[in-house]
């Protein structure tokens, strides 16, 4: 096996300066092609690879991004992570992914750990507990230390950073208008994510539409404890004569379809159902669920693009002004709607 060599050893063997060898390996036009060829030939012979620690110390960059996700079992976040990883790899970055499992304390611990290990920046979807407690000082602190943050999907307006979101309010309006346009009159709006920013925006959008139509009855079913969702939704369907459900999350939608099937309600003839996200629960429910797709993979990709663009704007002297990018949703009609 060939021995590992350093840049210094290559320079010594070639009787060149370390600077010349370094520039040759980067094909710097200042160096003659003859010298570049000599350096590459010897580097290939020894299978030379730059020391990543030395490179990061010199450039003050690790080319590493910290990614904080609340739940990797959630298909939406798994697809978003795929988009993040693909874009990061394309741009020469690596990612370190931490799963908070909806815990505020874990989120704080991971932020501290990744900051200490010198990630260049963060991509974050806030945990449910963080949004419920409305405690975001840990992100404000790292931003003070000039570590850039991009939040996506679950965000906080109090954090001065770039954000990539979907228009959740408009998405629920689109879904509810479709139900009304297909002659649904008695509609339930069911949510197991009322504590989250996205859940609040979707509910706000639904309320706006309901206020615009005469003769439309709507009932809100906001479930604080997801473990009780099956029992609550089953009891609700038993006691209420409704012809449509707008579920503000995939879990609520899937449970609604299961409970309707259990109670013998025909979908979509007697009950139309639209949900959010486009995960496995939606695709393999019976009947297949009509959904508002948030394009999770694209959301993750755009979050990574925005962060990397910020990281590489080394020569930009202008004052940083955060931006919010909105990714459009799409209504995908399947078998659970008329």
């Amino acid at each position: 096996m060939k021995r590992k060599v350093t840049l210094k050893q290559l320079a010594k063997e070639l009787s060149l300066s370390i600077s010349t060898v370094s520039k040759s390996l980067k094909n710097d036009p200042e160096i003659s092609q003859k010298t570049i060829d000599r350096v590459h030939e010897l580097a290939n012979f020894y299978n030379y690879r730059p020391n990543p620690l030395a490179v990061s110390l010199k450039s003050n960059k690790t080319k590493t991004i910290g990614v904080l996700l609340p739940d990797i079992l959630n298909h939406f976040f798994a697809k978003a992570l795929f988009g993040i990883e693909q874009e990061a790899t394309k741009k020469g970055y690596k990612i370190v992914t931490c799963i908070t499992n909806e815990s505020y304390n874990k989120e704080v611990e991971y932020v501290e750990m990744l900051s200490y290990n010198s990630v260049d920046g963060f991509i974050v979807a806030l945990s449910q507990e963080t949004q419920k407690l409305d405690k975001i000082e840990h992100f404000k602190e790292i931003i003070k230390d000039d570590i850039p943050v991009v939040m996506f999907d679950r965000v906080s307006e109090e954090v001065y950073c770039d954000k990539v979101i979907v228009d959740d309010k408009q998405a629920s309006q689109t879904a509810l208008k479709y139900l009304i346009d297909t002659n649904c009159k008695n509609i339930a709006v069911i949510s197991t994510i009322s504590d989250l920013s996205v859940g609040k925006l979707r509910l706000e959008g639904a309320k706006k539409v309901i206020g615009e139509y005469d003769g439309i009855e709507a009932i809100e079913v906001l479930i604080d404890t997801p473990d009780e969702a099956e029992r609550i939704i089953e009891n609700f369907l038993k006691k209420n004569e409704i012809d449509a459900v707008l579920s503000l999350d995939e879990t609520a939608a899937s449970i609604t379809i299961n409970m309707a099937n259990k109670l013998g309600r025909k979908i979509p003839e007697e009950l139309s159902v639209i949900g959010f996200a486009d995960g496995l629960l939606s695709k393999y429910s019976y009947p297949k669920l009509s959904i508002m797709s948030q394009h999770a993979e694209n959301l993750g990709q755009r979050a990574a693009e925005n962060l990397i663009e910020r990281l590489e704007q080394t020569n930009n002297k202008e004052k940083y002004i955060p931006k919010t990018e909105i990714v459009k949703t799409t209504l995908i009609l399947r078998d659970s709607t008329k």
Side-chain angles (χ1 to χ4, degrees), residues 159-171:
V159 180
Y160 196 72
C161 70
D162 291 337
K163 301 173 181 72
V164 182
I165 59 173
V166 297
D167 192 339
D168 284 289
K169 192 186 297 186
Q170 182 59 52

Side-chain angles (χ1 to χ4, degrees), residues 270-283:
E270 297 176 354
L271 183 69
S272 290
V273 183
I274 294 180
F276 272 75
D278 191 17
L280 297 177
L281 293 177
S282 303
K283 290 179 180 176

Side-chain angles (χ1 to χ4, degrees), residues 197-208:
S197 57
V198 293
K200 292 174 183 176
L201 288 169
R202 291 170 194 173
L203 182 59
E204 189 178 333
K207 286 180 176 179
K208 185 176 186 301

